[in-house]
Amino acid sequence: MNNPVLRDKVAAIGGDLEQWKANANGVDLNRNFDADWYEFVGSPQPASERYRGTYPGSEPEAAALIRLTQDYHLKRTISYHTCSALIYWYFKQSGNVLEESKKFADEISSTTGYYLDDDYTAVEQ
């Protein structure tokens, strides 16, 4: 990390920098969206991972993606993660949306070699 201010901020929060999953505010951006935000129980304070923030979209990075999906009629979105080579493709969809999601996930898996995982709860452990 080249920015000394950010480095000091991250160091003050603590945690393993090699495994750091949060932004510089200690908010896990994967958890900063309204999808099960109220149900998710993670860290109660800023941390290297699993802190959801003070409210859905509290972080500028998540807020920008929320605005993007609200302002444009997107057919689908995909979120890539750099760890594990996994695609968590299922999140409570049903019917036609479930079928379309699975087809799309299969295509992405075939192209990237990433494994499909339909247990979104596994990452909450």
Side-chain angles (χ1 to χ4, degrees):
M1 187 175 296
N2 295 331
N3 184 319
V5 173
L6 291 179
R7 184 180 55 240
D8 292 347
K9 191 173 186 179
V10 166
I13 292 169
D16 181 359
L17 291 179
E18 293 294 321
Q19 299 298 316
W20 190 271
K21 291 174 52 178
N23 69 1
N25 295 326
V27 176
D28 187 336
L29 296 174
N30 294 318
R31 304 294 179 192
N32 196 231
F33 294 90
D34 63 354
D36 278 358
W37 189 89
Y38 293 98
E39 293 83 2
F40 179 72
V41 178
S43 175
Q45 62 194 26
S48 62
E49 64 179 329
R50 299 179 50 81
Y51 174 61
R52 65 186 183 175
T54 54
Y55 59 88
S58 64
E59 300 306 294
E61 303 95 318
L65 289 173
I66 291 167
R67 277 193 313 276
L68 178 72
T69 58
Q70 290 173 340
D71 292 348
Y72 295 90
H73 183 72
L74 303 177
K75 187 171 181 176
R76 61 177 63 108
T77 65
I78 187 167
S79 178
Y80 277 98
H81 300 266
T82 57
C83 271
S84 304
L86 285 175
I87 298 171
Y88 292 104
W89 68 273
Y90 173 75
F91 188 75
K92 302 180 182 179
Q93 308 97 305
S94 61
N96 192 39
V97 174
L98 176 64
E99 292 172 23
E100 288 295 319
S101 296
K102 179 64 165 84
K103 285 181 197 174
F104 186 61
D106 285 337
E107 289 177 30
I108 298 299
S109 175
S110 176
T111 301
T112 63
Y114 282 27
Y115 296 99
L116 294 182
D117 193 330
D118 63 1
D119 184 6
Y120 66 89
T121 63
V123 296
E124 296 181 11
Q125 308 303 319

